[in-house]
Amino acid sequence: MKKFITILLAVLLCFAVVSCDGEKKDEKDIVRSIGNYCITENGIYHIGSESAEKLCFADFETGYDIILCNKPECMHAEYNVKTNPLPTCDAVTVQGEEYFGVIVYGDTLYTVEQGTNAYELYIRKNNFDGSGKKTVATIKGGFLYNGVTPIICANGYMYYIGYDYSAGMDEGKLDFNRLVETLYKIELSTGKVDLLIRKEAGKGIYRFENLYTDGDKLYYLVNDSTTEYDDATSSYQVKEWIFNLYSYDLQAGTEKRENADGENKGVVGFSNIHGIITEEYIEGKKVLTNNGKIIYESNDREMYFVLDDKLIVKNASENMYSIIDIKTAHIEKQFTGGSEIISGASTKYFVFKNIFNDGFSIVLKDDFYSGNLVWKEFKGT
């Protein structure tokens, strides 16, 4: 079951990924990361691909991927319930990358970690060298989505989607079909935790997908598909796919469905200039829209990245990139490239993440926009 969740979310990650500090609108204090990695101006904070349970930093300038530990002669011994139950290395995470989130907000590096007690989640602040770890908040019964859950910090609060374990326990054992998916809000200055939204999970459906904000509202896709139990496979199978776009007003504290009945609609990105980019189906065609205007349409399998006034589309079957002006819907450039997809951006670089081996590579933005994909790989820790 855990493997299924990981694969499912890895696929979803392909469709909507933005940089850690790539979301700013009207000078609002907004930062977004994708679970176990966060892209900043200087590099990428992440769980190391070679050291799958250690917090690392991939430095743009040096090209090195280093373990964030400043203790002399530290061996960075990984957690082991028998041989190393209390790791002394600040970079070591207890449960590994699938249960770990990282985001840089202001002058602080925050981590979201599952503890040795799998039913507690810890929000922690760290120095940028990995030292000085301090617990900000503890969430009882909380659980982080497997590694790729979006985390948002805005106006002094952290928002993330996770599980509430309390409803999934049956005589001390976890029943995945009884989990409740949750949207949490944490006040970073006090550690106060609020549970904003609860969605019943189970029956083969994972409700929340994607999470964006413009500073006033949170936007997310809710999977309202119906299922039925299949005796042949001993599992629930989707009977009808239904996706709805919801918003949560941060001031009013109210949730609203943004699409009409029978209108499958979801959010795939956020432009700091033009706002939310949605995906929907109109007359049998898949289209991307912005403020009610169609900016792109296709029936092919594609992946999207939104940055400022541009929509970048990667066509999987043709291995082609398209750069589209969001305001005019004009395709400015098309070119073929590698299999990688854009995962985020700094001022200077586009970052590409291989979701199968967790490796990173970067390309200068100027080179990418010219169609010249000169890859730079990071050297191992």
Side-chain angles (χ1 to χ4, degrees):
M1 184 69 174
K2 172 181 165 185
K3 182 178 180 182
F4 168 76
I5 298 172
T6 304
I7 294 173
L8 172 67
L9 290 171
V11 172
L12 293 172
L13 176 63
C14 295
F15 291 88
V17 185
V18 300
S19 69
C20 180
D21 59 349
E23 288 191 0
K24 292 186 176 66
K25 185 179 180 182
D26 300 332
E27 302 302 319
K28 291 178 181 176
D29 189 17
I30 302 171
V31 183
R32 183 179 188 269
S33 77
I34 292 295
N36 56 28
Y37 67 97
C38 177
I39 301 165
T40 70
E41 286 304 298
N42 299 317
I44 309 164
Y45 291 90
H46 69 106
I47 300 300
S49 55
E50 295 182 13
S51 304
E53 294 186 348
K54 299 178 179 69
L55 180 61
C56 299
F57 178 69
D59 191 304
F60 288 148
E61 183 176 354
T62 66
Y64 278 93
D65 195 2
I66 61 173
I67 296 174
L68 284 181
C69 175
N70 66 351
K71 295 182 178 179
E73 301 180 1
C74 181
M75 300 301 292
H76 316 304
E78 296 180 1
Y79 166 81
N80 184 289
V81 66
K82 294 182 179 179
T83 62
N84 191 27
L86 297 172
T88 58
C89 176
D90 289 330
V92 171
T93 65
V94 174
Q95 297 285 357
E97 63 178 328
E98 292 184 352
Y99 306 96
F100 190 89
V102 58
I103 188 167
V104 175
Y105 181 56
D107 58 357
T108 303
L109 172 63
Y110 289 96
T111 53
V112 183
E113 306 177 34
Q114 209 75 32
T116 52
N117 179 349
Y119 308 122
E120 288 186 349
L121 195 71
Y122 304 103
I123 313 298
R124 290 177 169 141
K125 59 191 303 185
N126 311 258
N127 296 327
F128 285 96
D129 62 358
S131 65
K133 186 174 291 188
K134 180 182 178 182
T135 299
V136 175
T138 301
I139 302 175
K140 302 288 185 180
F143 186 67
L144 192 68
Y145 260 168
N146 287 24
V148 296
T149 181
I151 300 172
I152 288 176
C153 287
N155 306 318
Y157 294 92
M158 178 184 289
Y159 303 90
Y160 84 90
I161 295 169
Y163 294 125
D164 180 357
Y165 260 118
S166 59
M169 298 302 294
D170 183 14
E171 297 182 354
K173 296 182 180 179
L174 178 64
D175 180 357
F176 278 93
N177 282 321
R178 293 171 58 188
L179 288 178
V180 173
E181 294 186 30
T182 54
L183 176 59
Y184 286 103
K185 171 185 175 182
I186 300 97
E187 187 174 18
L188 295 174
S189 62
T190 65
K192 183 178 182 293
V193 178
D194 289 317
L195 197 159
L196 301 182
I197 300 291
R198 293 169 62 91
K199 299 286 184 186
E200 180 184 354
K203 298 184 179 180
I205 293 296
Y206 298 89
R207 300 295 181 190
F208 282 115
E209 299 173 16
N210 301 336
L211 182 66
Y212 294 89
T213 187
D214 58 7
D216 298 318
K217 296 180 180 180
L218 297 172
Y219 295 89
Y220 43 91
L221 179 66
V222 176
N223 187 340
D224 286 327
S225 301
T226 59
T227 62
E228 60 184 3
Y229 191 78
D230 181 28
D231 292 325
T233 60
S234 298
S235 63
Y236 286 92
Q237 301 295 317
V238 175
K239 185 177 181 180
E240 181 184 7
W241 290 102
I242 303 172
F243 294 96
N244 290 311
L245 175 64
Y246 282 80
S247 66
Y248 183 88
D249 190 303
L250 295 174
Q251 291 295 323
T254 55
E255 184 184 46
K256 176 186 176 183
R257 195 177 74 180
E258 296 286 340
N259 56 303
D261 289 340
E263 179 187 33
N264 281 310
K265 191 173 184 179
V267 54
V268 300
F270 173 75
S271 164
N272 61 344
I273 297 173
H274 301 292
I276 294 293
I277 308 297
T278 61
E279 178 187 67
E280 54 190 295
Y281 288 84
I282 300 177
E283 297 180 353
K285 290 185 178 181
K286 180 178 67 176
V287 301
L288 299 189
T289 62
N290 173 243
N291 295 321
K293 177 184 176 181
I294 296 176
I295 57 175
Y296 184 78
E297 63 180 77
S298 171
N299 284 325
D300 210 339
R301 183 169 62 90
E302 295 168 326
M303 296 159 281
Y304 316 114
F305 180 80
V306 179
L307 182 69
D308 299 330
D309 61 345
K310 299 290 189 293
L311 167 69
I312 300 172
V313 179
K314 177 64 185 294
N315 184 300
S317 61
E318 297 179 4
N319 220 19
M320 177 179 289
Y321 291 100
S322 299
I323 302 174
I324 301 164
D325 184 282
I326 294 174
K327 182 178 181 180
T328 64
H330 174 66
I331 298 178
E332 297 181 340
K333 191 175 185 64
Q334 289 183 314
F335 55 90
T336 56
S339 60
E340 293 84 356
I341 62 170
I342 297 177
S343 298
S346 66
T347 300
K348 190 175 181 180
Y349 294 102
F350 279 127
V351 176
F352 296 74
K353 186 176 191 294
N354 187 316
I355 64 173
F356 298 104
N357 65 18
D358 287 332
F360 292 96
S361 56
I362 56 178
V363 173
L364 287 168
K365 282 185 178 179
D366 290 343
D367 286 344
F368 179 85
Y369 284 132
S370 69
N372 182 27
L373 298 182
V374 181
W375 305 101
K376 179 180 178 181
E377 305 288 341
F378 289 99
K379 300 171 186 175
T381 53

mmCIF file with all atom_site columns, all heavy atoms in Angstrom, residues 32-51:
data_model
loop_
_atom_site.group_PDB
_atom_site.id
_atom_site.type_symbol
_atom_site.label_atom_id
_atom_site.label_alt_id
_atom_site.label_comp_id
_atom_site.label_asym_id
_atom_site.label_entity_id
_atom_site.label_seq_id
_atom_site.pdbx_PDB_ins_code
_atom_site.Cartn_x
_atom_site.Cartn_y
_atom_site.Cartn_z
_atom_site.occupancy
_atom_site.B_iso_or_equiv
_atom_site.pdbx_formal_charge
_atom_site.auth_seq_id
_atom_site.auth_comp_id
_atom_site.auth_asym_id
_atom_site.auth_atom_id
_atom_site.pdbx_PDB_model_num
ATOM 1   N N   . ARG A 1 32 ? 6.730  28.045 -1.542 1.00 0.00 ? 32 ARG A N   1
ATOM 2   C CA  . ARG A 1 32 ? 6.175  26.703 -1.753 1.00 0.00 ? 32 ARG A CA  1
ATOM 3   C C   . ARG A 1 32 ? 7.295  25.738 -2.077 1.00 0.00 ? 32 ARG A C   1
ATOM 4   O O   . ARG A 1 32 ? 8.202  26.043 -2.837 1.00 0.00 ? 32 ARG A O   1
ATOM 5   C CB  . ARG A 1 32 ? 5.166  26.719 -2.909 1.00 0.00 ? 32 ARG A CB  1
ATOM 6   C CG  . ARG A 1 32 ? 4.458  25.384 -3.178 1.00 0.00 ? 32 ARG A CG  1
ATOM 7   C CD  . ARG A 1 32 ? 3.478  25.553 -4.331 1.00 0.00 ? 32 ARG A CD  1
ATOM 8   N NE  . ARG A 1 32 ? 2.636  24.391 -4.524 1.00 0.00 ? 32 ARG A NE  1
ATOM 9   C CZ  . ARG A 1 32 ? 2.919  23.383 -5.331 1.00 0.00 ? 32 ARG A CZ  1
ATOM 10  N NH1 . ARG A 1 32 ? 4.049  23.379 -6.010 1.00 0.00 ? 32 ARG A NH1 1
ATOM 11  N NH2 . ARG A 1 32 ? 2.087  22.360 -5.472 1.00 0.00 ? 32 ARG A NH2 1
ATOM 12  N N   . SER A 1 33 ? 7.221  24.555 -1.487 1.00 0.00 ? 33 SER A N   1
ATOM 13  C CA  . SER A 1 33 ? 8.184  23.507 -1.810 1.00 0.00 ? 33 SER A CA  1
ATOM 14  C C   . SER A 1 33 ? 7.430  22.240 -2.151 1.00 0.00 ? 33 SER A C   1
ATOM 15  O O   . SER A 1 33 ? 6.217  22.129 -1.947 1.00 0.00 ? 33 SER A O   1
ATOM 16  C CB  . SER A 1 33 ? 9.134  23.247 -0.637 1.00 0.00 ? 33 SER A CB  1
ATOM 17  O OG  . SER A 1 33 ? 8.493  22.481 0.363  1.00 0.00 ? 33 SER A OG  1
ATOM 18  N N   . ILE A 1 34 ? 8.155  21.276 -2.708 1.00 0.00 ? 34 ILE A N   1
ATOM 19  C CA  . ILE A 1 34 ? 7.575  19.965 -2.973 1.00 0.00 ? 34 ILE A CA  1
ATOM 20  C C   . ILE A 1 34 ? 8.237  18.972 -2.037 1.00 0.00 ? 34 ILE A C   1
ATOM 21  O O   . ILE A 1 34 ? 9.305  18.438 -2.297 1.00 0.00 ? 34 ILE A O   1
ATOM 22  C CB  . ILE A 1 34 ? 7.788  19.541 -4.430 1.00 0.00 ? 34 ILE A CB  1
ATOM 23  C CG1 . ILE A 1 34 ? 6.982  20.431 -5.365 1.00 0.00 ? 34 ILE A CG1 1
ATOM 24  C CG2 . ILE A 1 34 ? 7.352  18.091 -4.629 1.00 0.00 ? 34 ILE A CG2 1
ATOM 25  C CD1 . ILE A 1 34 ? 5.485  20.313 -5.208 1.00 0.00 ? 34 ILE A CD1 1
ATOM 26  N N   . GLY A 1 35 ? 7.614  18.789 -0.879 1.00 0.00 ? 35 GLY A N   1
ATOM 27  C CA  . GLY A 1 35 ? 8.029  17.738 0.046  1.00 0.00 ? 35 GLY A CA  1
ATOM 28  C C   . GLY A 1 35 ? 9.497  17.703 0.369  1.00 0.00 ? 35 GLY A C   1
ATOM 29  O O   . GLY A 1 35 ? 10.031 18.589 1.033  1.00 0.00 ? 35 GLY A O   1
ATOM 30  N N   . ASN A 1 36 ? 10.186 16.684 -0.133 1.00 0.00 ? 36 ASN A N   1
ATOM 31  C CA  . ASN A 1 36 ? 11.547 16.435 0.324  1.00 0.00 ? 36 ASN A CA  1
ATOM 32  C C   . ASN A 1 36 ? 12.610 17.202 -0.451 1.00 0.00 ? 36 ASN A C   1
ATOM 33  O O   . ASN A 1 36 ? 13.781 16.876 -0.370 1.00 0.00 ? 36 ASN A O   1
ATOM 34  C CB  . ASN A 1 36 ? 11.854 14.927 0.312  1.00 0.00 ? 36 ASN A CB  1
ATOM 35  C CG  . ASN A 1 36 ? 11.640 14.302 -1.047 1.00 0.00 ? 36 ASN A CG  1
ATOM 36  O OD1 . ASN A 1 36 ? 11.756 14.965 -2.066 1.00 0.00 ? 36 ASN A OD1 1
ATOM 37  N ND2 . ASN A 1 36 ? 11.325 13.019 -1.053 1.00 0.00 ? 36 ASN A ND2 1
ATOM 38  N N   . TYR A 1 37 ? 12.226 18.235 -1.216 1.00 0.00 ? 37 TYR A N   1
ATOM 39  C CA  . TYR A 1 37 ? 13.247 19.129 -1.762 1.00 0.00 ? 37 TYR A CA  1
ATOM 40  C C   . TYR A 1 37 ? 12.696 20.535 -1.927 1.00 0.00 ? 37 TYR A C   1
ATOM 41  O O   . TYR A 1 37 ? 11.509 20.743 -2.153 1.00 0.00 ? 37 TYR A O   1
ATOM 42  C CB  . TYR A 1 37 ? 13.825 18.607 -3.081 1.00 0.00 ? 37 TYR A CB  1
ATOM 43  C CG  . TYR A 1 37 ? 12.872 18.587 -4.254 1.00 0.00 ? 37 TYR A CG  1
ATOM 44  C CD1 . TYR A 1 37 ? 12.868 19.624 -5.177 1.00 0.00 ? 37 TYR A CD1 1
ATOM 45  C CD2 . TYR A 1 37 ? 12.016 17.515 -4.449 1.00 0.00 ? 37 TYR A CD2 1
ATOM 46  C CE1 . TYR A 1 37 ? 12.030 19.600 -6.266 1.00 0.00 ? 37 TYR A CE1 1
ATOM 47  C CE2 . TYR A 1 37 ? 11.169 17.482 -5.534 1.00 0.00 ? 37 TYR A CE2 1
ATOM 48  C CZ  . TYR A 1 37 ? 11.176 18.533 -6.442 1.00 0.00 ? 37 TYR A CZ  1
ATOM 49  O OH  . TYR A 1 37 ? 10.335 18.508 -7.521 1.00 0.00 ? 37 TYR A OH  1
ATOM 50  N N   . CYS A 1 38 ? 13.593 21.503 -1.773 1.00 0.00 ? 38 CYS A N   1
ATOM 51  C CA  . CYS A 1 38 ? 13.217 22.917 -1.799 1.00 0.00 ? 38 CYS A CA  1
ATOM 52  C C   . CYS A 1 38 ? 14.303 23.689 -2.539 1.00 0.00 ? 38 CYS A C   1
ATOM 53  O O   . CYS A 1 38 ? 15.481 23.628 -2.177 1.00 0.00 ? 38 CYS A O   1
ATOM 54  C CB  . CYS A 1 38 ? 13.081 23.432 -0.367 1.00 0.00 ? 38 CYS A CB  1
ATOM 55  S SG  . CYS A 1 38 ? 12.715 25.196 -0.262 1.00 0.00 ? 38 CYS A SG  1
ATOM 56  N N   . ILE A 1 39 ? 13.920 24.403 -3.594 1.00 0.00 ? 39 ILE A N   1
ATOM 57  C CA  . ILE A 1 39 ? 14.869 25.115 -4.449 1.00 0.00 ? 39 ILE A CA  1
ATOM 58  C C   . ILE A 1 39 ? 14.967 26.566 -4.015 1.00 0.00 ? 39 ILE A C   1
ATOM 59  O O   . ILE A 1 39 ? 13.945 27.255 -3.885 1.00 0.00 ? 39 ILE A O   1
ATOM 60  C CB  . ILE A 1 39 ? 14.433 25.026 -5.919 1.00 0.00 ? 39 ILE A CB  1
ATOM 61  C CG1 . ILE A 1 39 ? 14.362 23.559 -6.355 1.00 0.00 ? 39 ILE A CG1 1
ATOM 62  C CG2 . ILE A 1 39 ? 15.395 25.800 -6.817 1.00 0.00 ? 39 ILE A CG2 1
ATOM 63  C CD1 . ILE A 1 39 ? 13.614 23.343 -7.640 1.00 0.00 ? 39 ILE A CD1 1
ATOM 64  N N   . THR A 1 40 ? 16.197 27.019 -3.777 1.00 0.00 ? 40 THR A N   1
ATOM 65  C CA  . THR A 1 40 ? 16.446 28.401 -3.380 1.00 0.00 ? 40 THR A CA  1
ATOM 66  C C   . THR A 1 40 ? 17.352 29.057 -4.414 1.00 0.00 ? 40 THR A C   1
ATOM 67  O O   . THR A 1 40 ? 17.735 28.441 -5.412 1.00 0.00 ? 40 THR A O   1
ATOM 68  C CB  . THR A 1 40 ? 17.112 28.463 -1.997 1.00 0.00 ? 40 THR A CB  1
ATOM 69  O OG1 . THR A 1 40 ? 18.457 27.962 -2.098 1.00 0.00 ? 40 THR A OG1 1
ATOM 70  C CG2 . THR A 1 40 ? 16.330 27.629 -0.979 1.00 0.00 ? 40 THR A CG2 1
ATOM 71  N N   . GLU A 1 41 ? 17.736 30.315 -4.166 1.00 0.00 ? 41 GLU A N   1
ATOM 72  C CA  . GLU A 1 41 ? 18.608 31.012 -5.108 1.00 0.00 ? 41 GLU A CA  1
ATOM 73  C C   . GLU A 1 41 ? 20.001 30.398 -5.187 1.00 0.00 ? 41 GLU A C   1
ATOM 74  O O   . GLU A 1 41 ? 20.663 30.487 -6.215 1.00 0.00 ? 41 GLU A O   1
ATOM 75  C CB  . GLU A 1 41 ? 18.713 32.490 -4.721 1.00 0.00 ? 41 GLU A CB  1
ATOM 76  C CG  . GLU A 1 41 ? 17.476 33.291 -5.047 1.00 0.00 ? 41 GLU A CG  1
ATOM 77  C CD  . GLU A 1 41 ? 17.103 33.205 -6.518 1.00 0.00 ? 41 GLU A CD  1
ATOM 78  O OE1 . GLU A 1 41 ? 17.902 33.641 -7.359 1.00 0.00 ? 41 GLU A OE1 1
ATOM 79  O OE2 . GLU A 1 41 ? 16.016 32.670 -6.824 1.00 0.00 ? 41 GLU A OE2 1
ATOM 80  N N   . ASN A 1 42 ? 20.455 29.785 -4.097 1.00 0.00 ? 42 ASN A N   1
ATOM 81  C CA  . ASN A 1 42 ? 21.821 29.273 -4.055 1.00 0.00 ? 42 ASN A CA  1
ATOM 82  C C   . ASN A 1 42 ? 21.935 27.776 -4.310 1.00 0.00 ? 42 ASN A C   1
ATOM 83  O O   . ASN A 1 42 ? 23.021 27.274 -4.585 1.00 0.00 ? 42 ASN A O   1
ATOM 84  C CB  . ASN A 1 42 ? 22.456 29.590 -2.697 1.00 0.00 ? 42 ASN A CB  1
ATOM 85  C CG  . ASN A 1 42 ? 22.531 31.084 -2.443 1.00 0.00 ? 42 ASN A CG  1
ATOM 86  O OD1 . ASN A 1 42 ? 22.881 31.852 -3.334 1.00 0.00 ? 42 ASN A OD1 1
ATOM 87  N ND2 . ASN A 1 42 ? 22.175 31.501 -1.242 1.00 0.00 ? 42 ASN A ND2 1
ATOM 88  N N   . GLY A 1 43 ? 20.826 27.055 -4.174 1.00 0.00 ? 43 GLY A N   1
ATOM 89  C CA  . GLY A 1 43 ? 20.908 25.613 -4.355 1.00 0.00 ? 43 GLY A CA  1
ATOM 90  C C   . GLY A 1 43 ? 19.640 24.919 -3.908 1.00 0.00 ? 43 GLY A C   1
ATOM 91  O O   . GLY A 1 43 ? 18.585 25.554 -3.729 1.00 0.00 ? 43 GLY A O   1
ATOM 92  N N   . ILE A 1 44 ? 19.741 23.614 -3.694 1.00 0.00 ? 44 ILE A N   1
ATOM 93  C CA  . ILE A 1 44 ? 18.587 22.780 -3.392 1.00 0.00 ? 44 ILE A CA  1
ATOM 94  C C   . ILE A 1 44 ? 18.782 22.083 -2.053 1.00 0.00 ? 44 ILE A C   1
ATOM 95  O O   . ILE A 1 44 ? 19.762 21.339 -1.874 1.00 0.00 ? 44 ILE A O   1
ATOM 96  C CB  . ILE A 1 44 ? 18.391 21.706 -4.484 1.00 0.00 ? 44 ILE A CB  1
ATOM 97  C CG1 . ILE A 1 44 ? 18.383 22.345 -5.874 1.00 0.00 ? 44 ILE A CG1 1
ATOM 98  C CG2 . ILE A 1 44 ? 17.108 20.913 -4.247 1.00 0.00 ? 44 ILE A CG2 1
ATOM 99  C CD1 . ILE A 1 44 ? 18.588 21.347 -6.994 1.00 0.00 ? 44 ILE A CD1 1
ATOM 100 N N   . TYR A 1 45 ? 17.879 22.322 -1.115 1.00 0.00 ? 45 TYR A N   1
ATOM 101 C CA  . TYR A 1 45 ? 17.859 21.566 0.129  1.00 0.00 ? 45 TYR A CA  1
ATOM 102 C C   . TYR A 1 45 ? 16.993 20.332 -0.106 1.00 0.00 ? 45 TYR A C   1
ATOM 103 O O   . TYR A 1 45 ? 15.857 20.445 -0.579 1.00 0.00 ? 45 TYR A O   1
ATOM 104 C CB  . TYR A 1 45 ? 17.289 22.409 1.270  1.00 0.00 ? 45 TYR A CB  1
ATOM 105 C CG  . TYR A 1 45 ? 18.200 23.550 1.681  1.00 0.00 ? 45 TYR A CG  1
ATOM 106 C CD1 . TYR A 1 45 ? 18.086 24.793 1.079  1.00 0.00 ? 45 TYR A CD1 1
ATOM 107 C CD2 . TYR A 1 45 ? 19.184 23.364 2.651  1.00 0.00 ? 45 TYR A CD2 1
ATOM 108 C CE1 . TYR A 1 45 ? 18.933 25.837 1.440  1.00 0.00 ? 45 TYR A CE1 1
ATOM 109 C CE2 . TYR A 1 45 ? 20.026 24.398 3.026  1.00 0.00 ? 45 TYR A CE2 1
ATOM 110 C CZ  . TYR A 1 45 ? 19.902 25.629 2.403  1.00 0.00 ? 45 TYR A CZ  1
ATOM 111 O OH  . TYR A 1 45 ? 20.738 26.661 2.756  1.00 0.00 ? 45 TYR A OH  1
ATOM 112 N N   . HIS A 1 46 ? 17.514 19.172 0.223  1.00 0.00 ? 46 HIS A N   1
ATOM 113 C CA  . HIS A 1 46 ? 16.786 17.950 -0.119 1.00 0.00 ? 46 HIS A CA  1
ATOM 114 C C   . HIS A 1 46 ? 17.310 16.773 0.694  1.00 0.00 ? 46 HIS A C   1
ATOM 115 O O   . HIS A 1 46 ? 18.301 16.865 1.414  1.00 0.00 ? 46 HIS A O   1
ATOM 116 C CB  . HIS A 1 46 ? 16.951 17.644 -1.623 1.00 0.00 ? 46 HIS A CB  1
ATOM 117 C CG  . HIS A 1 46 ? 18.346 17.222 -1.996 1.00 0.00 ? 46 HIS A CG  1
ATOM 118 N ND1 . HIS A 1 46 ? 18.669 15.925 -2.306 1.00 0.00 ? 46 HIS A ND1 1
ATOM 119 C CD2 . HIS A 1 46 ? 19.506 17.919 -2.090 1.00 0.00 ? 46 HIS A CD2 1
ATOM 120 C CE1 . HIS A 1 46 ? 19.962 15.844 -2.589 1.00 0.00 ? 46 HIS A CE1 1
ATOM 121 N NE2 . HIS A 1 46 ? 20.486 17.035 -2.467 1.00 0.00 ? 46 HIS A NE2 1
ATOM 122 N N   . ILE A 1 47 ? 16.605 15.650 0.551  1.00 0.00 ? 47 ILE A N   1
ATOM 123 C CA  . ILE A 1 47 ? 17.106 14.392 1.100  1.00 0.00 ? 47 ILE A CA  1
ATOM 124 C C   . ILE A 1 47 ? 18.003 13.775 0.049  1.00 0.00 ? 47 ILE A C   1
ATOM 125 O O   . ILE A 1 47 ? 17.587 13.552 -1.084 1.00 0.00 ? 47 ILE A O   1
ATOM 126 C CB  . ILE A 1 47 ? 15.958 13.440 1.446  1.00 0.00 ? 47 ILE A CB  1
ATOM 127 C CG1 . ILE A 1 47 ? 15.051 14.082 2.475  1.00 0.00 ? 47 ILE A CG1 1
ATOM 128 C CG2 . ILE A 1 47 ? 16.491 12.115 1.980  1.00 0.00 ? 47 ILE A CG2 1
ATOM 129 C CD1 . ILE A 1 47 ? 15.741 14.416 3.769  1.00 0.00 ? 47 ILE A CD1 1
ATOM 130 N N   . GLY A 1 48 ? 19.251 13.507 0.399  1.00 0.00 ? 48 GLY A N   1
ATOM 131 C CA  . GLY A 1 48 ? 20.256 13.083 -0.566 1.00 0.00 ? 48 GLY A CA  1
ATOM 132 C C   . GLY A 1 48 ? 19.874 11.821 -1.307 1.00 0.00 ? 48 GLY A C   1
ATOM 133 O O   . GLY A 1 48 ? 19.355 10.870 -0.724 1.00 0.00 ? 48 GLY A O   1
ATOM 134 N N   . SER A 1 49 ? 20.126 11.811 -2.628 1.00 0.00 ? 49 SER A N   1
ATOM 135 C CA  . SER A 1 49 ? 19.785 10.647 -3.442 1.00 0.00 ? 49 SER A CA  1
ATOM 136 C C   . SER A 1 49 ? 20.706 9.469  -3.134 1.00 0.00 ? 49 SER A C   1
ATOM 137 O O   . SER A 1 49 ? 20.303 8.319  -3.204 1.00 0.00 ? 49 SER A O   1
ATOM 138 C CB  . SER A 1 49 ? 19.875 10.996 -4.926 1.00 0.00 ? 49 SER A CB  1
ATOM 139 O OG  . SER A 1 49 ? 21.146 11.522 -5.251 1.00 0.00 ? 49 SER A OG  1
ATOM 140 N N   . GLU A 1 50 ? 21.968 9.752  -2.793 1.00 0.00 ? 50 GLU A N   1
ATOM 141 C CA  . GLU A 1 50 ? 22.895 8.672  -2.450 1.00 0.00 ? 50 GLU A CA  1
ATOM 142 C C   . GLU A 1 50 ? 22.793 8.302  -0.980 1.00 0.00 ? 50 GLU A C   1
ATOM 143 O O   . GLU A 1 50 ? 23.063 7.178  -0.587 1.00 0.00 ? 50 GLU A O   1
ATOM 144 C CB  . GLU A 1 50 ? 24.331 9.084  -2.792 1.00 0.00 ? 50 GLU A CB  1
ATOM 145 C CG  . GLU A 1 50 ? 24.561 9.274  -4.293 1.00 0.00 ? 50 GLU A CG  1
ATOM 146 C CD  . GLU A 1 50 ? 26.004 9.627  -4.598 1.00 0.00 ? 50 GLU A CD  1
ATOM 147 O OE1 . GLU A 1 50 ? 26.847 9.483  -3.694 1.00 0.00 ? 50 GLU A OE1 1
ATOM 148 O OE2 . GLU A 1 50 ? 26.278 10.039 -5.731 1.00 0.00 ? 50 GLU A OE2 1
ATOM 149 N N   . SER A 1 51 ? 22.417 9.253  -0.169 1.00 0.00 ? 51 SER A N   1
ATOM 150 C CA  . SER A 1 51 ? 22.234 9.014  1.267  1.00 0.00 ? 51 SER A CA  1
ATOM 151 C C   . SER A 1 51 ? 20.775 9.298  1.582  1.00 0.00 ? 51 SER A C   1
ATOM 152 O O   . SER A 1 51 ? 20.409 10.392 1.991  1.00 0.00 ? 51 SER A O   1
ATOM 153 C CB  . SER A 1 51 ? 23.153 9.918  2.087  1.00 0.00 ? 51 SER A CB  1
ATOM 154 O OG  . SER A 1 51 ? 24.496 9.745  1.707  1.00 0.00 ? 51 SER A OG  1
#
